[in-house]
Amino acid sequence: MRNYCILLCTIFLYGQVVIAQKNHSVCILQGVVKNRTSDTIYIRKSTQDLRAFLENPIKIPVKNGAFTYQLPFTETEAFELIFQDELEKGSWSPIHFFPYLGRVSFELYPQKDWLNNRVEGGILNKSYVTFRSDNQRKFQAAKNNLYQTRDSLIRINAFETAAYQQIFKDLRQLKPDDQDGRVPLYQKSDEMEKTGARYTDLAKQLYVNPFDSLMREEYHWKYQYLTQHISLSSYYSLWTDVMRIAKDNRIVAQYIRELFPVYKKQFPVHVYTKSIEQQLNGLQKVAVGNPFLDVKAFTLNGDTMQLSKAITGKITLIDFWGSWCGPCIAKMRLVKPLYERFKNKGFVIVGIAREFQSLAAVKNRIAIENYVWQNLFDIDDKLNVWNKYGINNGVGMMVVVDQQGKIVAIDPKANELEALLIKTLE
């Protein structure tokens, strides 16, 4: 009987998606804002790229502590409300909700009281709130205890090693626009993070190891929950893990691979399905030892070109970058001297820029940096090049391919790339 009820609920929820897609439905958003003076709220699809969203955000005015808005939608997926003043400060806490053929009510509080926010209306919002409440009830107290331990260690300067702290002292000495100086420091901090050299032995014993254990327990609970409660709100939770966690967490990646076929079967044409497929495909295929993933991208004159035509049996660095990506540009400045040194010995570079709305910025940056190699691009993710390579961060990626088209390095440091080129070409 229980399984039958779950099946009926799932069919109903999927039906709501189909209805919304056919009718271009409208959801009424209505809310009150408590104890804050914010006068504008932005609304964003969670799947929308942040840079594209910022180009032309939808703004909802807050008047006398209240707001209302008619939201048209064609597919049921998670949306976010973001307070403009938080966004302008560079640190915001979005309020998630799912539109439906009805009214969603909000009671919103200052960022420090985010847990007091209330979202009501529709089955998906109710199920999402239930999931978050169950998760918080089961794990938040233990997390808070560990956070207190962490804060105590920080107060006595026993949390991070002196070498790691020195990196950020060096960063503070740099000018704000000195990306060239920041890149090697960021690379060093990432390496210390991955190897555990960031933390003192005491911090590992009292905080890092217990926290990792708690997170493994939480992920196990979460994926049992997502298996037992199949809905679009659960699908959103799975999608966020794919986009934010799976690349660096093998345990979560395995949970996702096991569960995704169930959701794909239930929601075969949903936007989450396409997005997850691309990310998982990229994570699986873009690995050292595998052939490079051949994709199509635009040329600067508007034609399309297959990546394989730009890789002609030479050692090739595929640079996924963007005119908006300072770290990408700074990393390439470290690589460019190697290009000049090895270009006549069989080393080539192919750039694939991810741009939005216009090519003016990327053309200008190519001229400034003197990128004389083949430059391709994708605009507004029309060809989903970055997604197909499993790139969902804001710092791009470098992929090195050998003469046979096999991936031999991913995101190498300049000295690592130099060693590879010396070994291969000299």
Side-chain angles (χ1 to χ4, degrees), residues 268-316:
V269 297
H270 196 273
V271 62
Y272 294 156
T273 301
K274 181 180 179 181
S275 177
I276 293 172
E277 278 186 320
Q278 290 176 340
Q279 292 295 324
L280 292 182
N281 188 54
L283 290 174
Q284 181 178 351
K285 290 187 176 181
V286 182
V288 172
N290 288 351
F292 78 95
L293 185 62
D294 197 11
V295 293
K296 187 179 291 185
F298 292 109
T299 63
L300 290 174
N301 62 15
D303 297 327
T304 58
M305 179 178 182
Q306 207 71 30
L307 178 58
S308 55
K309 291 189 176 181
I311 296 179
T312 55
K314 297 182 179 181
I315 296 288
T316 303

Side-chain angles (χ1 to χ4, degrees), residues 215-216 219 245-254 257:
M215 291 306 299
R216 286 194 294 271
Y219 288 135
I245 301 175
K247 184 177 180 180
D248 300 312
N249 191 311
R250 289 178 293 178
I251 294 175
V252 172
Q254 185 58 35
R257 290 191 183 97

Side-chain angles (χ1 to χ4, degrees), residues 87-146:
L87 189 65
E88 290 174 347
K89 293 176 182 177
S91 175
W92 64 94
S93 301
I95 298 94
H96 298 91
F97 72 94
F98 296 85
Y100 77 112
L101 298 172
R103 184 185 306 274
V104 180
S105 300
F106 302 86
E107 187 173 288
L108 305 181
Y109 290 83
Q111 190 173 20
K112 64 182 180 63
D113 300 319
W114 188 88
L115 293 176
N116 293 334
N117 291 328
R118 296 290 179 266
V119 180
E120 296 180 350
I123 294 175
L124 292 179
N125 289 312
K126 183 177 181 180
S127 63
Y128 188 65
V129 169
T130 298
F131 162 72
R132 292 182 63 91
S133 298
D134 289 352
N135 179 271
Q136 183 180 356
R137 185 167 51 252
K138 189 169 182 64
F139 296 101
Q140 195 61 49
K143 286 182 181 179
N144 289 341
N145 289 335
L146 287 171

Side-chain angles (χ1 to χ4, degrees), residues 72 77 80 143 161 174 191 204 222 270 309 322 334 365 412:
E77 60 173 301
E80 301 173 0
K143 286 182 181 179
T161 60
L174 298 176
E191 185 175 348
K204 291 176 184 178
K222 178 178 183 178
H270 196 273
K309 291 189 176 181
L334 300 177
R365 180 52 60 180

